Structures are given as structure tokens and as C-alpha cells.
């Protein structure tokens, strides 16, 4: 939300939007920010391999604790919010925000798929219709095609949103610079007019 509302002109309204959004989701903003600060502080000064180790459940950090809980949950499902959090950690640790790194962190280090639940539903449907040969032939290809679909779509979406926000920020800065130049020109014109008037008055 901070990224999306970074350049929102009315800061008090932006704060109210964040408050309303978090409350509507059943969360407490202060708790969310405290948790985010804890993870960000932990990631400061670390590299991608440090994060990968924590995602494997190594160490006693909060990230490792989250990873261990996810590993123990058979039906844990990757979400976009989780993905954005990983992208933020990539930025903090100087790790390239890429599909390959996302796939490694979640698929290899955390040992989870982005689409386990969907694949499970597909298997259940195929088994119910009784066509087991169809299951054997197709389930692996379906799993591979869906496994990392969310990673790519989230990376594309996040990259697109950030790019548009950066373009908007650049545009707003350009507008601000133009307005300042116009204001300076107006003040200069007023100063020149005042000086001219004073000179004329001194000649009388």
C-alpha cells in the first residue's frame, strides 16, 4: 500500500485508505507494520543465499519460522501477498527480482508449489470420471504448466505497477519543476516591474 500510495497528494486520506483496507481484511495496521519492519530489519545486510537458507527452515529467524510452518502445512498455498513480500526481500538484499529466483526460493528452498491446490483439484476430477489412463498421461504436464504460473503473473503485474508508478512520479516531478519555473518567472516579472516603477518615481 505504501508503494501504491507513495505520491497520493492528500496524505491524511492516504492514511485513511490504508487503515480502511487493513481493517476490512481483519488485520491491525500497527501489527502488520511491526511484522514487516521485523522482516525488513532481518533482511538488511543479508544476501539472497541467507534468505534461501531461512526459507529452507535454517536458523531461528522469523522468516525461518514462517518457512517451517509452511513446510508443515500440507495444503499451504502460495499467494500474491507472499510473493510481493519475497520480491521486497529481493530488493532489500540486492537479489535480482526474477522468475528464476522466485522459483528457487519457493519451489526449491521452501519446497512448495504455487499451484498445489489447483493440481490436486484436477487430479480429483480426473479420478472421479474414472479415466486413469488420461490421468497418468496428462497430470505431469498439467502440473508443470501450472506449477509456477502465479510466479510469472505476479512478477509481471508487480513490475508493471511499479513501472507505471515510477512514470507517474517522474511526470509529477516534471510538472512541479515547470510550475516552479513559472512561479519564478512571475516573481521575476513582478520584481522588474517594481524596480522600473521605483526608477520612474525617482526621476520625478
Amino acid at each position: 500500500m505504501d508503494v501504491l500510495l507513495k505520491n497520493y497528494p492528500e496524505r491524511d486520506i492516504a492514511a485513511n485508505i490504508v487503515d480502511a483496507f487493513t481493517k476490512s481484511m481483519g488485520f491491525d495496521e500497527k501489527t502488520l507494520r511491526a511484522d514487516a519492519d521485523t522482516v525488513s530489519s532481518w533482511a538488511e545486510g543479508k544476501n539472497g543465499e541467507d534468505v534461501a537458507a531461512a526459507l529452507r527452515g535454517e536458523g531461528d529467524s522469523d522468516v525461518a519460522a514462517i518457512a517451517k510452518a509452511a513446510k508443515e502445512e500440507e495444503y499451504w498455498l502460495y499467494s500474491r501477498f507472499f510473493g510481493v513480500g519475497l520480491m521486497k526481500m529481493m530488493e532489500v538484499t540486492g537479489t535480482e527480482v526474477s522468475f528464476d529466483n522466485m522459483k528457487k526460493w519457493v519451489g526449491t528452498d521452501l519446497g512448495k508449489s504455487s499451484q498445489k491446490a489447483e493440481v490436486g483439484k484436477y487430479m480429483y476430477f480426473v479420478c472421479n470420471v474414472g479415466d486413469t489412463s488420461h490421468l497418468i498421461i496428462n497430470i505431469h504436464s498439467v502440473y508443470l504448466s501450472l506449477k509456477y504460473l502465479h510466479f510469472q503473473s505476479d512478477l509481471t503485474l508487480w513490475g508493471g505497477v511499479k513501472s507505471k508508478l515510477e512514470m507517474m512520479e517522474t511526470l509529477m516531478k516534471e510538472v512541479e519543476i515547470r510550475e516552479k519555473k513559472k512561479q519564478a518567472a512571475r516573481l521575476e516579472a513582478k520584481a522588474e516591474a517594481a524596480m522600473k516603477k521605483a526608477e520612474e518615481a525617482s526621476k520625478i
Side-chain angles (χ1 to χ4, degrees):
M1 292 298 289
D2 289 342
V3 173
L4 296 175
L5 298 173
K6 179 181 178 182
N7 294 305
Y8 199 86
E10 291 85 7
R11 301 312 303 166
D12 56 334
I13 295 178
N16 289 336
I17 291 173
V18 174
D19 180 64
F21 179 78
T22 52
K23 285 181 178 177
S24 69
M25 298 292 289
F27 294 117
D28 177 70
E29 183 183 351
K30 290 183 179 180
T31 301
L32 286 178
R33 290 190 180 279
D35 290 344
D37 288 342
T38 298
V39 175
S40 294
S41 297
W42 173 85
E44 288 287 347
K46 291 183 172 58
N47 56 39
E49 182 50 40
D50 293 326
V51 178
L55 290 173
R56 291 193 293 270
E58 299 173 10
D60 57 358
S61 67
D62 288 334
V63 175
I66 293 170
K68 290 173 184 176
K71 287 174 179 292
E72 292 172 0
E73 175 54 56
E74 181 181 0
Y75 295 103
W76 180 92
L77 183 63
Y78 166 90
S79 71
R80 176 166 294 162
F81 300 107
F82 187 84
V84 169
L86 292 182
M87 292 177 215
K88 179 63 177 178
M89 280 206 290
M90 288 178 184
E91 293 176 356
V92 173
T93 58
T95 304
E96 181 187 4
V97 182
S98 68
F99 172 78
D100 288 339
N101 284 331
M102 183 72 85
K103 184 170 69 172
K104 178 182 179 299
W105 278 11
V106 179
T108 303
D109 298 316
L110 186 61
K112 293 291 185 178
S113 160
S114 68
Q115 289 285 339
K116 181 174 181 180
E118 282 79 352
V119 173
K121 291 175 184 177
Y122 181 85
M123 291 177 65
Y124 179 75
F125 170 75
V126 174
C127 288
N128 268 353
V129 298
D131 189 354
T132 55
S133 62
H134 182 70
L135 168 64
I136 295 170
I137 294 171
N138 288 295
I139 190 59
H140 184 63
S141 61
V142 171
Y143 177 76
L144 290 178
S145 65
L146 290 177
K147 186 176 182 182
Y148 300 114
L149 183 62
H150 276 181
F151 298 163
Q152 188 62 64
S153 64
D154 290 349
L155 283 167
T156 301
L157 177 63
W158 184 245
V161 168
K162 289 195 71 176
S163 177
K164 289 178 181 177
L165 288 172
E166 288 170 0
M167 289 175 60
M168 184 186 302
E169 185 175 359
T170 300
L171 179 61
M172 290 178 68
K173 285 181 178 178
E174 290 176 353
V175 170
E176 184 180 0
I177 290 171
R178 285 199 298 268
E179 287 301 317
K180 285 182 178 179
K181 286 182 177 180
K182 289 180 181 179
Q183 185 179 9
R186 287 194 294 268
L187 291 173
E188 185 178 357
K190 285 183 179 180
E192 289 178 355
M195 289 177 63
K196 185 176 181 180
K197 187 176 181 180
E199 288 175 358
E200 291 174 350
S202 63
K203 292 177 181 179
I204 297 175

